[in-house]
Amino acid sequence: MRVRVLGSAAGGGFPQWNCNCPNCSALRSGSLKARPRTQAQVVVSPSPATWFLLNASPDLRQQLLATPELAPSAAKSTSPVATILLTSADVDCVMGLLHLREFQPLHIFSMPAVRRILTEENSIFRVLTRSNPPVRWDNLQPDRIIPLVPPSALGMKDGFFCKAVPLFGGFPDYISDSLRHSLSPDEAVIGLQFIHKEKRFFYAPSLPGVGDDWRRTVDESDLALLDGTFWKDDELIATKRSTKTAREMGHVPLSGPHGLLSQPFRLGKARRVLIHINNTNPVLNEDSREHRAVRDAGFEIAYDGMEFET
Ligand SMILES: [Zn+2]
């Protein structure tokens, strides 16, 4: 399968329009060895001309236009990207659905709670029902493998499958208390594991780091794109951009005790790549000791346009 990173930054992108942290200001002035990045967006393809969107970023329109392979084909005049899988109802994951509203029949997979948040309380997403046929929602279920593309014949191993891995994060703060209390916590944030011809790709742009299932999933995968949002647990407090720690926001930090870099991953198989990198994160600076520490710990750092074949 092919995996392409259209955007690699956390919410706000890099630089962020209203941020003057050392990274953002140095990138603007041209004195930082770093790449600008759009907000996290990944597409995965089991075969030519079939692409699945993993979430729908606020930068989605720009990201699609920058990727000629994702343009509608001349022959059929239909888009090769009609299916979207959502990992949570966070603004960064769903805002781009509004970019897809141009009367395109869409197929969205999500946990039932995410669907309820978007359809019961946020009426703006009803624009997706104007297409003919209207948007089709299908539920993902914890740890259940579902076919996204069925095998071409009985016994063939060419199908494309997906499994939702509950990651036990929180629901977004924009939803009402009454809805929140009626939702199951294991549906708030998931990772997605894709399986094609015995290769496995795990996508977890938000990783609270709770329990062991997520680490087992990384270990059994050939490629894992993982939450690289923050270097330190108190990163946003130190830059006065929030009063919450990284962990309180559902992101295991890279450094520190029990940080992502110190997790006891099995050596060898999985190619581990950080994505969803916040503009305050020092790993964005390619000359920094933190950037070096990430590479020394066996991780790569995603950038816009990065591509994998697995
Ligand atoms: Zn910044």
Side-chain angles (χ1 to χ4, degrees):
M1 74 188 107
R2 284 175 67 197
V3 176
R4 192 172 163 94
V5 176
L6 306 187
S8 51
F14 180 50
Q16 179 175 310
W17 71 277
N18 63 346
C19 184
N20 204 32
C21 74
N23 274 348
C24 288
S25 63
L27 187 74
R28 281 191 202 99
S29 69
S31 58
L32 192 72
K33 188 177 174 198
R35 302 173 189 239
R37 285 168 161 87
T38 60
Q39 296 169 88
Q41 179 67 53
V42 168
V43 287
V44 58
S45 168
S47 59
T50 304
W51 290 90
F52 293 80
L53 291 179
L54 311 191
N55 293 323
S57 96
D59 293 322
L60 185 58
R61 178 180 176 277
Q62 166 196 351
Q63 292 163 334
L64 292 175
L65 293 182
T67 314
E69 266 186 286
L70 303 179
S73 75
K76 292 191 283 183
S77 161
T78 54
S79 170
V81 284
T83 305
I84 306 109
L85 298 106
L86 301 175
T87 60
S88 79
D90 283 354
V91 172
D92 300 346
C93 298
V94 303
M95 199 169 137
L97 290 174
L98 299 176
H99 286 300
L100 301 173
R101 74 192 182 282
E102 307 297 345
F103 300 97
Q104 161 94 21
L106 298 173
H107 191 176
I108 301 175
F109 289 88
S110 74
M111 298 304 276
V114 170
R115 173 183 182 167
R116 287 189 59 198
I117 291 168
L118 299 189
T119 57
E120 290 180 20
E121 277 202 342
N122 292 277
S123 58
I124 194 169
F125 290 101
R126 285 183 202 149
V127 294
L128 302 176
T129 64
R130 296 180 307 172
S131 64
N132 183 20
V135 61
R136 174 180 158 198
W137 289 83
D138 269 317
N139 289 336
L140 297 167
Q141 288 175 39
D143 300 311
R144 258 268 291 281
I145 295 178
I146 58 159
L148 296 173
V149 179
S152 57
L154 207 64
M156 291 292 283
K157 296 209 161 146
D158 56 354
F160 185 53
F161 302 90
C162 174
K163 182 171 88 169
V165 181
L167 299 176
F168 303 99
F171 287 105
D173 54 14
Y174 68 75
I175 70 173
S176 70
D177 286 343
S178 60
L179 180 58
R180 185 186 311 273
H181 291 137
S182 72
L183 300 175
S184 174
D186 64 347
E187 296 183 9
V189 181
I190 58 166
L192 294 166
Q193 190 186 46
F194 297 91
I195 306 157
H196 183 58
K197 294 183 177 169
E198 297 176 1
K199 295 285 187 178
R200 290 167 187 259
F201 157 51
F202 183 43
Y203 187 55
S206 283
L207 192 51
V210 177
D212 281 329
D213 278 1
W214 68 273
R215 207 168 47 225
R216 261 196 299 278
T217 309
V218 173
D219 280 341
E220 70 177 20
S221 296
D222 300 275
L223 171 67
L225 263 60
L226 302 173
D227 185 342
T229 311
F230 298 117
W231 175 253
K232 281 167 57 179
D233 200 31
D234 65 351
E235 188 165 317
L236 286 194
I237 298 170
T239 53
K240 298 189 169 59
R241 296 214 65 88
S242 175
T243 54
K244 287 185 178 174
T245 64
R247 283 192 168 86
E248 284 168 348
M249 296 172 75
H251 301 287
V252 61
L254 296 174
S255 68
H258 312 295
L260 189 63
L261 300 191
S262 65
Q263 296 287 328
F265 291 112
R266 213 171 62 193
L267 286 174
K269 190 179 174 192
R271 189 169 169 187
R272 299 186 301 264
V273 184
L274 301 178
I275 193 166
H276 196 268
I277 303 156
N278 199 58
N279 58 79
T280 51
N281 192 329
V283 305
L284 289 168
N285 177 355
E286 293 170 24
D287 289 329
S288 67
R289 68 176 174 81
E290 292 87 354
H291 183 94
R292 174 49 50 198
V294 162
R295 303 306 309 269
D296 289 347
F299 287 80
E300 297 170 68
I301 301 172
Y303 53 85
D304 295 15
M306 194 175 196
E307 192 164 338
F308 308 90
E309 178 94 52
T310 187

